[in-house]
Amino acid sequence: MHRIAVAAGKVIGKGPLRGYLLEEVLAWLLRSSGFEVLTADDDKDKEPWKVLKEDKNGLLVRGRGAWHQVDALGQFRYVPPFSLPVRLFVEAKYLTTTPVGLPTVRNGHGVIHDVNEGETTTLTAPGTGRPRTRYR
């Protein structure tokens, strides 16, 4: 009874639909606050320097230790003087019965640290490394 039909005969539950709508609202807020909402197509680099890619769960961002799923990723349209380009990593939670707990907050904090970890170099062969672009 809490299912809603969508295109191609797929059925989505009320909870996932609410989560999706929340993500869309957050993306709209990013756009209206001076950010560009990024997709995997915005990363023009080739492997192994690619930091954004798409999979079945949405957008993935490369961290130092792993790829991380992100609900919305915004990049500020202007680079502040004497700074790195600014990216805003958005993780949305729509929970109705339980509050967001400490494990969820710690996981989010860890993901941000992995993505923001110091300068990393991707090596394809000895001496051919290139630093990845860094963001604030």
Side-chain angles (χ1 to χ4, degrees), residues 11-78:
V11 177
I12 186 170
K14 189 176 179 181
L17 180 60
R18 285 180 176 168
Y20 172 77
L21 291 174
L22 176 60
E23 291 173 16
E24 287 300 312
V25 167
L26 291 170
W28 179 84
L29 287 171
L30 281 173
R31 283 190 295 276
S32 61
S33 298
F35 287 84
E36 294 174 2
V37 177
L38 300 178
T39 67
D41 296 334
D42 294 315
D43 186 356
K44 302 301 182 201
D45 282 333
K46 304 275 188 252
E47 286 293 344
W49 294 281
K50 199 163 193 51
V51 295
L52 299 175
K53 71 179 182 180
E54 197 78 29
D55 85 337
K56 64 178 181 166
N57 295 322
L59 183 64
L60 297 178
V61 178
R62 183 193 300 262
R64 186 169 186 212
W67 287 90
H68 303 281
Q69 190 271 333
V70 61
D71 292 331
L73 181 65
Q75 183 165 316
F76 197 58
R77 288 188 182 103
Y78 309 102

Side-chain angles (χ1 to χ4, degrees), residues 59-110:
L59 183 64
L60 297 178
V61 178
R62 183 193 300 262
R64 186 169 186 212
W67 287 90
H68 303 281
Q69 190 271 333
V70 61
D71 292 331
L73 181 65
Q75 183 165 316
F76 197 58
R77 288 188 182 103
Y78 309 102
V79 178
F82 312 107
S83 182
L84 297 170
V86 176
R87 282 191 171 173
L88 187 58
F89 194 102
V90 178
E91 178 65 27
K93 297 289 180 206
Y94 187 96
L95 304 173
T96 58
T97 57
T98 59
V100 173
L102 187 58
T104 303
V105 174
R106 282 185 177 156
N107 184 50
H109 183 75

